[in-house]
Amino acid sequence: MPKMTFIEPNGTRHEVDAPLGLSVLEIAHKNSLDLEGACEGSLACSTCHIIVEPEWFDVLNEASEDEEDMLDLAFGLTKTSRLGCQIIMSEELDGLTVRLPGGSNNAMRG
């Protein structure tokens, strides 16, 4: 089974099983990691914002225009920012490493 690594804001690393076909958001939730996902992966928020390690960024499919629009709302946006709900685990992504940002903007909270 593929693996991936989540790095918390404090530097703690979590290497976890990353089942094929699951999103990075789903993998985080399955492993009780702190990645919100307020819209449950429907591309309506930016709370599953992650920072992809630079060596992995070009391996990913390009972000859609809708994902780019949501990323504009993300807290702590970087050049390698993506939404965890839009990255689906594949064999090619075995070893993927992402950082969890220190916070999120949740426009869905009212």
Side-chain angles (χ1 to χ4, degrees):
M1 175 177 302
K3 301 247 186 230
M4 70 171 292
T5 300
F6 291 90
I7 305 172
E8 292 184 43
N10 68 8
T12 302
R13 299 172 71 91
H14 301 275
E15 184 178 303
V16 299
D17 288 335
L20 296 173
L22 290 187
S23 70
V24 169
L25 174 62
E26 292 168 315
I27 294 165
H29 286 177
K30 188 174 174 155
N31 289 281
S32 301
L33 295 168
D34 190 21
L35 187 59
E36 187 172 344
C39 75
E40 298 178 356
S42 64
L43 201 53
C45 75
S46 64
T47 61
C48 67
H49 168 230
I50 55 170
I51 301 164
V52 178
E53 289 293 274
E55 64 270 19
W56 284 100
F57 190 74
D58 290 334
V59 178
L60 301 175
N61 293 329
E62 283 192 35
S64 68
E65 191 172 325
D66 288 341
E67 181 180 357
E68 293 283 353
D69 289 346
M70 284 295 113
L71 279 168
D72 287 342
L73 306 173
F75 174 84
L77 193 65
T78 73
K79 289 182 181 191
T80 63
S81 288
R82 292 293 302 268
L83 296 180
C85 68
Q86 297 301 298
I87 300 172
I88 306 302
M89 187 50 62
S90 66
E91 290 286 354
E92 183 179 51
L93 296 180
D94 187 12
L96 176 67
T97 301
V98 302
R99 292 183 177 274
L100 301 175
S104 68
N105 290 334
N106 186 351
M108 293 187 70
R109 287 187 185 150

